[in-house]
């Protein structure tokens, strides 16, 4: 009998003796790695599985193996991450991801070499919602009243929320409306800093200064990166003053308000604050959906509404990620030449979404956690005080509280009529223990994975 046959036969016997859920969870990736004399080496795919087999099922495992091969006396448990041959779906997902990435960078070649504007960022394709309406309105005003209304305009907001888009939209509008007469330059503050260094090294500072001081519209992106760079700040300050005195427009973006940028000179900060400050927040669901619709349209893709809604529900804090998810689905549909279904879309996005959108109900939490601990739901709900039930029960209370925000009395009721003070005690205990016990925190993460897996 070879190792594989031996293990198969043993599994057959083991499965008769332990609960099916536990069997499915803990034995599914196990295999016999080798036999060393009287010891068999049993490989598992994770520390969890190893501990579980060793602590709870060792007895069954050894007995089953000995029934088949009496000379076996011991089992050694090891963790070997299984290198499974790449599944075809995984390959597809990877290909889709790289195509989607390309999509996102597409059109970059359209960037104008003089102004550094990318024509894809316009006001027309910028969706306005309550999260950005002030910033959008201010940007529009600036583009209609160059240098005379809000100067400078300072736009701030988190990553991927549309700052660069809006900044470039101002430039593109001016460029379109007034053709060649207006000198525009878009630049990120990092590029500004590195160009400055180059200019100093190559002794072309005069050209550098001249280029910026002759502008009608200067668009500086991500100005927070000037923090701590004294020379850059100094140069920027002088350029600012020159432009400002000539009523030339300057617009800044930053990931935070001027007050919160560390290590900048007071005089520069006060310049940032001297005009109009507008922030961009996080778009609501309807706005996210509208953005997805316009992006899908731009990419000439027809996707079902439920897919767009699924994406909008799942990605909330970053529009770039929202677009990335959309690109993946479009890439998939082009690659396979199909109109993807919601199920396919979920599959494609499964590794993009860290916490998949899923409404979990308390019953499910109890069931999944019980499975994890190799228990039946009934064991949890009955008033047993046995240690191997008490702890799982406390973990469940904690999860119901943390994940579903259930009330303490309701949790008590769900778990077989426990008093709410018992629930509070359990939740606090687990919350505290997580900090000092990494194993427990790992365990809870594993249960969360089970709960949220689709
Ligand atoms: P930031 O500069 O704030 O990190 P970007 O301006 O680069 O973010 O925006 C990220 C992506 O999201 C871009 O592709 C942009 O076109 C898109 N985007 C952001 N906000 C909007 C919006 N309101 N309407 C349409 N597209 C948007
Ligand atoms: Mg940006």
């Amino acid at each position: 009998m070879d190792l594989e046959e031996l293990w198969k036969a043993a599994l057959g016997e083991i499965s008769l003796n332990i609960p099916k859920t536990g069997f499915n969870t803990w034995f599914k990736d196990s295999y016999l790695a080798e036999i060393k004399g009287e010891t068999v080496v049993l490989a598992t795919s994770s520390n969890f599985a190893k501990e579980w087999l060793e602590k709870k099922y060792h007895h069954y495992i050894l007995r089953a193996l000995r029934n088949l091969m009496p000379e076996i006396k011991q089992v050694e448990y090891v963790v070997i991450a299984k290198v499974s041959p790449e599944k075809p779906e995984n390959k597809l997902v990877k290909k889709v991801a790289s195509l989607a990435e390309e999509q996102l960078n597409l059109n970059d070649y359209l960037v104008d070499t003089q102004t550094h504007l990318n024509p894809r960022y316009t006001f027309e394709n910028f969706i306005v919602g309550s999260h950005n309406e002030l910033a959008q309105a201010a940007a529009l005003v600036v583009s209609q009243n160059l240098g005379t209304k809000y100067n400078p305009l300072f736009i701030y907001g988190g990553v991927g929320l549309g700052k660069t888009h809006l900044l470039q939209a101002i430039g593109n509008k001016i460029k379109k409306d007034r053709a060649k007469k207006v000198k525009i330059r878009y630049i990120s503050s990092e590029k500004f800093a590195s160009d400055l260094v180059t200019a100093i090294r190559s002794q072309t500072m005069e050209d550098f200064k001249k280029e910026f001081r002759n502008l009608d519209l200067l668009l500086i992106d991500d100005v927070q990166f000037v923090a701590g760079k004294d020379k850059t700040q100094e140069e920027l300050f002088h350029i600012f003053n020159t432009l400002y005195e000539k009523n030339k427009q300057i617009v800044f973006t930053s990931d935070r308000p001027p007050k919160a940028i560390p290590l900048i000179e007071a005089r520069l900060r006060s310049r940032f604050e001297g005009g109009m400050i507008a922030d961009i927040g996080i778009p609501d669901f309807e706005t996210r959906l509208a953005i997805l619709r316009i992006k899908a349209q731009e990419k000439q893709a027809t996707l079902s509404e439920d897919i767009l809604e699924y994406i909008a529900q799942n990605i909330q804090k970053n529009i770039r990620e929202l677009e990335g998810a959309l690109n993946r689905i479009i890439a998939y549909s082009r690659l396979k030449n199909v109109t993807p279904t919601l199920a396919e879309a979920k599959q494609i996005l499964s590794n993009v979404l860290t916490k998949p959108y899923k409404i979990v109900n308390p019953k499910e939490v109890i069931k999944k956690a019980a499975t994890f601990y190799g228990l039946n739901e009934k064991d949890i709900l009955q008033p047993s005080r046995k240690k191997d039930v008490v702890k799982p029960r406390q973990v469940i209370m904690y999860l119901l509280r943390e994940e579903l925000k259930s009330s303490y009395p309701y949790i008590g009721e769900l778990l077989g009529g426990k008093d709410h003070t018992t629930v509070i005690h359990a939740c606090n205990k687990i919350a505290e223990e997580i900090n000092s016990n990494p194993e427990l925190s790992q365990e809870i993460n594993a249960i969360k994975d089970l709960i949220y897996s689709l």
Side-chain angles (χ1 to χ4, degrees):
M1 203 166 359
D2 70 11
L3 290 173
E4 202 181 329
E5 282 168 351
L6 176 63
W7 189 230
K8 251 195 203 152
L11 282 177
E13 188 182 325
I14 295 165
S15 69
L16 299 175
N17 294 313
I18 68 173
K20 200 171 158 211
T21 43
F23 181 79
N24 290 342
T25 313
W26 304 116
F27 284 88
K28 76 176 185 314
D29 292 323
S30 64
Y31 62 98
L32 291 189
E34 60 176 320
I35 299 186
K36 301 187 288 197
E38 299 176 335
T39 307
V40 291
V41 180
L42 179 58
T44 60
S45 58
S46 69
N47 265 320
F48 272 130
K50 171 176 175 278
E51 279 198 12
W52 218 260
L53 296 186
E54 201 166 3
K55 288 199 182 132
K56 288 202 72 161
Y57 299 127
H58 173 72
H59 170 70
Y60 300 105
I61 295 168
L62 185 60
R63 195 175 61 194
L65 287 167
R66 289 191 64 164
N67 283 344
L68 295 158
M69 247 179 134
E71 56 271 38
I72 294 173
K73 299 257 154 52
Q74 287 184 51
V75 184
E76 190 186 321
Y77 298 85
V78 297
V79 182
I80 300 178
K82 210 171 171 184
V83 196
S84 51
E86 213 177 337
K87 284 191 201 154
E89 293 137 66
N90 283 352
K91 272 195 195 150
L92 182 66
V93 168
K94 273 197 187 150
K95 185 144 192 209
V96 162
S98 78
L99 265 177
E101 184 74 15
E102 266 172 40
Q103 268 275 330
L104 209 56
N105 299 330
L106 205 71
N107 293 340
D108 274 359
Y109 69 94
L110 293 173
V111 172
D112 182 292
T113 49
Q114 227 163 26
T115 62
H116 294 253
L117 290 172
N118 182 333
R120 71 179 274 250
Y121 297 120
T122 63
F123 279 110
E124 287 74 27
N125 65 7
F126 190 79
I127 301 289
V128 183
S130 55
H131 74 293
N132 63 9
E133 66 189 343
L134 182 67
Q136 191 267 358
L140 203 57
V141 166
V142 161
S143 71
Q144 288 154 349
N145 305 272
L146 214 54
T148 56
K149 202 80 179 217
Y150 302 137
N151 205 14
L153 171 61
F154 189 102
I155 300 169
Y156 72 90
V159 178
L161 291 177
K163 301 181 298 293
T164 298
H165 188 137
L166 206 47
L167 187 66
Q168 291 240 349
I170 298 173
N172 278 319
K173 182 164 166 54
I174 298 286
K175 192 175 156 193
K176 195 172 113 210
D177 292 353
R178 314 205 194 171
K180 291 198 176 65
K181 275 179 263 140
V182 184
K183 283 201 214 71
I184 307 168
R185 178 71 202 265
Y186 163 90
I187 191 165
S188 71
S189 78
E190 284 165 300
K191 178 87 167 47
F192 181 84
S194 73
D195 284 4
L196 176 65
V197 171
T198 311
I200 294 171
R201 277 213 198 110
S202 59
Q203 300 183 325
T204 51
M205 265 309 277
E206 280 318 304
D207 295 343
F208 179 85
K209 285 183 186 168
K210 205 168 130 204
E211 188 198 339
F212 284 98
R213 290 179 185 189
N214 279 335
L215 292 172
D216 298 291
L217 171 59
L218 173 59
L219 306 164
I220 298 208
D221 209 356
D222 289 319
V223 77
Q224 75 271 7
F225 291 124
V226 302
K229 295 177 183 138
D230 295 346
K231 182 73 187 149
T232 303
Q233 287 186 30
E234 191 189 326
E235 235 18 86
L236 187 58
F237 180 74
H238 291 306
I239 288 168
F240 180 93
N241 287 343
T242 310
L243 293 179
Y244 185 81
E245 276 158 24
K246 294 195 283 181
N247 278 334
K248 304 300 185 186
Q249 180 74 46
I250 305 115
V251 186
F252 297 106
T253 75
S254 162
D255 68 351
R256 64 201 90 179
K259 270 196 185 47
I261 305 177
L263 303 173
I264 56 167
E265 278 182 76
R267 58 177 188 171
L268 193 57
R269 193 192 312 270
S270 89
R271 290 297 180 271
F272 291 164
E273 288 172 338
M276 167 82 170
I277 299 181
D279 75 318
I280 298 185
I282 290 169
D284 57 26
F285 173 75
E286 281 71 26
T287 309
R288 297 198 296 276
L289 198 56
I291 291 173
L292 284 170
R293 288 205 192 101
I294 200 171
K295 299 284 176 189
Q297 204 180 25
E298 278 173 11
K299 297 166 209 285
Q300 288 162 7
T302 19
L303 294 179
S304 69
E305 197 64 7
D306 55 354
I307 292 181
L308 298 183
E309 280 175 17
Y310 177 77
I311 304 174
Q313 255 156 358
N314 279 281
I315 301 178
Q316 302 169 348
K317 299 197 173 130
N318 184 327
I319 297 170
R320 189 173 301 124
E321 280 174 14
L322 202 68
E323 204 178 335
L326 179 73
N327 283 343
R328 278 182 188 229
I329 295 176
I330 294 174
Y332 171 85
S333 95
R334 303 225 158 116
L335 211 64
K336 302 260 286 187
N337 206 10
V338 292
T339 311
T341 62
L342 181 59
E344 283 170 313
K346 285 183 181 174
Q347 159 80 25
I348 290 297
L349 298 182
S350 62
N351 56 352
V352 179
L353 307 173
T354 38
K355 221 182 192 184
Y357 174 77
K358 185 178 168 193
I359 299 171
V360 264
N361 57 41
K363 275 216 152 326
E364 218 174 350
V365 171
I366 297 173
K367 203 170 134 201
K368 294 272 170 70
T371 307
F372 179 86
Y373 287 112
L375 298 166
N376 286 318
E377 257 171 278
K378 268 199 234 126
D379 305 330
I380 302 279
L381 302 183
Q382 272 158 10
S384 159
R385 286 179 181 254
K386 269 197 254 156
K387 201 172 157 249
D388 45 359
V389 178
V390 170
K391 196 190 118 200
R393 195 187 286 134
Q394 290 179 332
V395 167
I396 289 173
M397 291 177 178
Y398 170 83
L399 285 168
L400 289 171
R401 180 71 188 165
E402 288 300 305
E403 299 301 302
L404 302 189
K405 314 283 174 232
S406 305
S407 74
Y408 294 121
Y410 179 58
I411 296 174
E413 201 178 297
L414 280 170
L415 293 176
K418 298 268 180 300
D419 191 70
H420 75 280
T421 52
T422 310
V423 181
I424 295 175
H425 169 76
C427 293
N428 290 343
K429 184 163 177 275
I430 298 293
E432 219 172 81
E433 214 181 310
I434 284 179
N435 293 323
S436 57
N437 180 353
E439 239 167 71
L440 178 66
S441 111
Q442 262 189 356
E443 216 170 283
I444 287 175
N445 283 337
I447 299 172
K448 281 193 206 162
D449 281 350
L450 274 179
I451 293 171
Y452 287 108
S453 65
L454 296 173

